[in-house]
Amino acid sequence: MALPVTDESLWFRRFHPRPEAEVSLVCLPHAGGAASFYFPISELLPPTVEALAVQYPGRQDRRHDTPIENIHEMAREIFEALTPLTAHRPIALFGHSMGASVGFELARLLEGELGTVPVALFASGRPAPSHHRSLDIHRRDDAGLIAELQLVSGTDSRILGDAELLRLALPAIRSDYKAAETYEYRPGARLRCDIVGLAGDSDIRVRAPEMAGWREHTAGSFRLEVFSGGHFYLGEQKAAVAGVITDTLRAATARLRRTID
């Protein structure tokens, strides 16, 4: 079903518009990340899936907007922007690192306040909400924060090598790390949507038991997909990740069609 023609929200970027898609995949970036992080995966998705990449405030074309330093507030803002779109086609969520926490809280809002069960929640490179821990990286000085970015290779190398770009980017990066590290899981009902966990086999920031903990947060199915690579395995494994997304959503939409029929 085609979405209505409207001005794009500040929150979403459609790099590859697919007006006849069957599912909207809302893509939530990591701490310090931008919507453009998901361009390569958006490009690889089939005509049946349209990616809506979220642009957090404080970066790129939203660099003058005040960053949000709270996961629950971030999820609420995205929920308000997303709500008008939920009546037009099913929604799936993909979040990497901090984005997985945002995606979890967004799924809770969709299910709890709209009765809209996402087709799936893809939780990538992030411990389960109940396994949350903090390294207090957001409290480090600029040099310490940059060292972390270099360690996990999560920021464009052009930015890390350009003092002026880095100066502009650091406030939003620090705010994101604060949001991620001060996140507080609030016990509640398990999600009804299926959860697919994704992780790099050499990720120094997420251990396998922490990823497996996502199983505790859904009454639906859970499976864990492990790829070769570190915390940002998506860069090298984008085709494989797009394949997992495609296969998962194809099966889910087929089930939805059978239910309607």
Side-chain angles (χ1 to χ4, degrees):
M1 178 183 295
L3 288 173
V5 178
T6 60
D7 293 335
E8 278 297 282
S9 163
L10 283 175
W11 286 95
F12 304 115
R13 303 290 175 270
R14 302 173 196 246
F15 298 119
H16 304 94
R18 297 181 174 109
E20 301 301 326
E22 297 179 356
V23 180
S24 293
L25 179 68
V26 179
C27 299
L28 303 141
H30 54 282
S36 56
F37 176 75
Y38 285 107
F39 183 96
I41 289 178
S42 171
E43 189 174 32
L44 291 170
L45 294 174
T48 54
V49 182
E50 181 181 63
L52 300 180
V54 172
Q55 188 76 300
Y56 301 141
R59 66 222 65 206
Q60 292 186 341
D61 55 343
R62 297 194 67 187
R63 62 187 178 278
H64 298 302
D65 295 342
T66 303
I68 296 174
E69 298 183 340
N70 181 281
I71 294 292
H72 296 282
E73 182 182 344
M74 183 85 79
R76 170 62 65 179
E77 292 283 343
I78 298 168
F79 171 74
E80 297 294 342
L82 183 62
T83 294
L85 305 183
T86 60
H88 302 283
R89 67 166 72 125
I91 300 290
L93 307 172
F94 189 109
H96 180 65
S97 200
M98 179 187 79
S101 296
V102 178
F104 173 72
E105 293 299 337
L106 180 55
R108 280 182 147 185
L109 291 171
L110 289 167
E111 293 190 3
E113 298 193 13
L114 292 183
T116 297
V117 179
V119 176
L121 168 61
F122 298 92
S124 168
R126 180 74 166 169
S130 54
H131 289 243
H132 176 68
R133 56 188 166 82
S134 173
L135 299 175
D136 278 340
I137 293 166
H138 71 282
R139 297 183 183 277
R140 298 179 185 176
D141 60 15
D142 287 354
L145 186 55
I146 293 169
E148 171 65 16
L149 299 177
Q150 293 170 330
L151 180 64
V152 299
S153 302
T155 299
D156 191 323
S157 60
R158 292 170 298 178
I159 294 177
L160 290 177
D162 187 310
E164 182 60 21
L165 286 178
L166 194 56
R167 182 185 66 80
L168 294 172
L170 275 180
I173 294 172
R174 186 178 300 280
S175 292
D176 284 357
Y177 267 91
K178 181 178 180 180
E181 295 187 318
T182 59
Y183 169 64
E184 294 183 359
Y185 167 66
R186 301 168 182 170
R190 291 188 293 174
L191 294 176
R192 288 180 282 163
C193 68
D194 296 340
I195 297 179
V196 179
L198 303 96
D201 60 5
S202 56
D203 190 340
I204 63 172
R205 287 290 177 247
V206 186
R207 297 184 294 270
E210 295 174 312
M211 286 300 302
W214 281 97
R215 187 185 305 275
E216 305 165 13
H217 295 284
T218 179
S221 69
F222 171 81
R223 76 177 192 274
L224 178 61
E225 300 278 353
V226 179
F227 301 86
S228 175
H231 190 60
F232 285 92
Y233 69 90
L234 284 86
E236 297 177 355
Q237 304 293 339
K238 56 182 179 292
V241 171
V244 168
I245 294 170
T246 299
D247 292 345
T248 301
L249 297 185
R250 182 179 292 126
T253 52
R255 288 196 301 270
L256 284 174
R257 285 194 294 269
R258 288 197 296 270
T259 300
I260 294 172
D261 294 341

